[in-house]
DNA sequence: ATTCTGACGTGGG
DNA sequence: CCCCACGCCAGAA
């Protein structure tokens, strides 16, 4: 019996270093295409799971909409930059180059 | 049970 | 391209 949140965390853990994905992409992968907001809401509680790279999840435009949930003023951006991702004004540059789609890289059946 | 809240996405203008 | 309005639904209170 795995909760929706737990499944979100499991997917997020598999985002490769230096890559990012979106809330909607995770939701779609989990078979809940209309629950993108819930993915973000789940991230809110992810701080207890230290192995969940919440900074690698952004909105569909590559905007760092969740930065205010990190400590400090710019931690989310700094983490991404430290992984070699270009970030300017809370927006990932060349977003397509870093985007990682769970649906194209993971086996859905393991997450039901 | 019922109400409220969003770290979103989409479609229309 | 931008902006707005609305649908979305798991969990907490």
């Amino acid at each position: 019996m795995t909760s929706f949140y737990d499944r979100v965390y499991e997917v997020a853990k598999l985002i490769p270093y230096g890559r990012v994905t979106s809330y909607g992409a995770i939701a779609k992968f989990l078979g809940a295409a209309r629950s993108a907001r819930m993915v973000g809401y789940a991230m809110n509680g992810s701080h207890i799971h230290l192995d969940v790279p919440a900074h690698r999840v952004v909105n569909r435009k590559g905007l760092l909409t969740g930065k205010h949930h990190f400590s400090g003023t710019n931690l989310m951006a700094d983490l991404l930059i430290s992984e070699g991702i270009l970030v300017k004004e809370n927006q990932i540059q060349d977003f397509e180059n870093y985007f990682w789609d769970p649906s194209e890289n993971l086996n859905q059946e393991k997450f039901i």
Side-chain angles (χ1 to χ4, degrees):
Chain A
M1 177 66 192
T2 331
S3 73
F4 181 75
Y5 280 25
D6 287 332
R7 290 186 305 168
V8 170
Y9 299 145
E10 289 308 308
V11 177
K13 283 181 195 174
L14 300 174
I15 305 171
Y17 181 94
R19 305 292 299 279
V20 294
T21 192
S22 70
Y23 305 99
I26 293 177
K28 185 179 174 188
F29 173 71
L30 290 176
R34 291 161 287 182
S35 302
R37 291 185 83 170
M38 302 305 105
V39 175
Y41 202 57
M43 284 300 148
N44 207 7
S46 69
H47 58 282
I48 50 175
H49 305 255
L50 300 182
D51 46 348
V52 175
H55 60 285
R56 296 187 192 135
V57 186
V58 298
N59 83 352
R60 66 134 171 199
K61 300 177 192 165
L63 259 173
L64 277 50
T65 47
K67 73 170 291 188
H68 300 303
H69 295 268
F70 288 79
S71 57
T73 53
N74 216 37
L75 180 60
M76 187 178 188
D78 288 341
L79 287 170
L80 291 169
I81 290 169
S82 77
E83 297 190 3
I85 296 174
L86 253 60
V87 182
K88 187 178 179 184
E89 314 232 313
N90 300 328
Q91 163 79 50
I92 294 179
Q93 309 295 298
D94 304 312
F95 183 48
E96 324 74 54
N97 295 345
Y98 305 108
F99 186 73
W100 179 84
D101 188 353
S103 302
E104 294 180 358
N105 295 281
L106 300 178
N107 181 356
Q108 234 161 4
E109 312 194 348
K110 292 185 178 179
F111 295 84
I112 300 171

